Amino acid sequence: MLISFEGIDGSGKSTQIEFLRKRLKEAGHTVRVFREPGGSEISERIRSILLDANQKINPVTELLLFSAARSQLVAEKVIPLLEEGTVVILDRFYDSTTAYQGYGRESVPIDYINEINTIASHQREPNLTFYMRLSVEQAEKRTAQKEKDRMERSGKDFYQKVVEGFDKLAESEKRFITLDAEKPKEIIQDQIWDHVSALL
């Protein structure tokens, strides 16, 4: 099973991913968690370039770098683990590329990004995608004290477009489960487990 978590920074993805990982292990499942970009040596190197606040990266280059990091992770780690029966949880997947580089950056038309996503994911689609929905204003409050990387310095207007992009995906993709990230984390945990356990 392949499960992805999406949402802007500050939405609580990491907290919920760790909860789900522990819950699955307690239920007897083998689980691996990877972040995007990252998760393999090559992908982590690409990540360091993408998030370097000193770098100025063209939007199309950014799109292709994120996709290259994804391709390596999926080919090297995700596919072999799925074939072994491992539950793989991804902290971001190609929906982030659609939201950030498509709707946020407006780098290339969404149809092009959909094609790139299909290629970079080696045609693998999540069984479930949990979208931790949070307003830009709440995200800014939660991350106010955090040092910002290159992506996080993109500005409020950019992030508003990203949220709108995620909202559009949530409307069109049946695998999307939209969660109110402002609710108490315990309530969100129960909602996530209900969906995952039903699929298992």
Side-chain angles (χ1 to χ4, degrees), residues 128-132 173-179 191 195:
L128 280 175
T129 297
F130 291 107
Y131 167 36
M132 303 286 292
E173 296 287 347
K174 291 182 179 179
R175 62 184 163 81
F176 258 66
I177 307 296
T178 302
L179 303 166
Q191 290 174 333
H195 287 288

Side-chain angles (χ1 to χ4, degrees), residues 3 15 20 31 48 95 137 142 160 164 166:
I3 301 169
T15 299
L20 181 57
V31 188
S48 67
D95 297 303
E137 291 74 20
R142 291 186 181 186
Q160 191 58 53
E164 290 168 5
F166 276 130

Side-chain angles (χ1 to χ4, degrees), residues 16-125:
Q16 295 301 332
I17 287 170
E18 179 57 19
F19 154 76
L20 181 57
R21 184 191 69 79
K22 288 181 178 178
R23 193 85 181 257
L24 284 165
K25 286 193 73 174
E26 289 169 0
H29 298 278
T30 304
V31 188
R32 290 291 301 276
V33 175
F34 298 102
R35 66 179 182 178
E36 273 221 15
S40 73
E41 182 180 352
I42 290 172
S43 302
E44 289 290 341
R45 289 188 184 186
I46 296 172
R47 178 188 181 90
S48 67
I49 295 169
L50 280 165
L51 302 186
D52 185 348
N54 296 316
Q55 298 289 343
K56 290 185 178 180
I57 302 177
N58 176 272
V60 175
T61 306
E62 180 181 279
L63 163 67
L64 295 174
L65 283 172
F66 272 109
S67 300
R70 176 170 306 120
S71 174
Q72 186 65 28
L73 172 64
V74 172
E76 184 180 332
K77 304 281 188 178
V78 175
I79 290 176
L81 286 167
L82 290 174
E83 290 175 349
E84 292 173 4
T86 300
V87 178
V88 178
I89 303 174
L90 297 177
D91 186 346
R92 300 195 180 286
F93 198 40
Y94 57 66
D95 297 303
S96 276
T97 292
T98 304
Y100 280 78
Q101 283 72 52
Y103 289 98
R105 297 281 192 232
E106 300 177 343
S107 55
V108 297
I110 298 298
D111 286 347
Y112 289 8
I113 289 182
N114 290 339
E115 290 183 24
I116 292 169
N117 286 343
T118 300
I119 294 167
S121 65
H122 298 255
Q123 298 184 332
R124 295 288 173 144
E125 181 178 83

Side-chain angles (χ1 to χ4, degrees), residues 9 135-145 148 155-156:
D9 292 303
S135 69
V136 176
E137 291 74 20
Q138 284 298 318
E140 287 179 342
K141 289 178 182 178
R142 291 186 181 186
T143 61
Q145 304 304 317
K148 302 289 194 293
K156 188 173 181 178

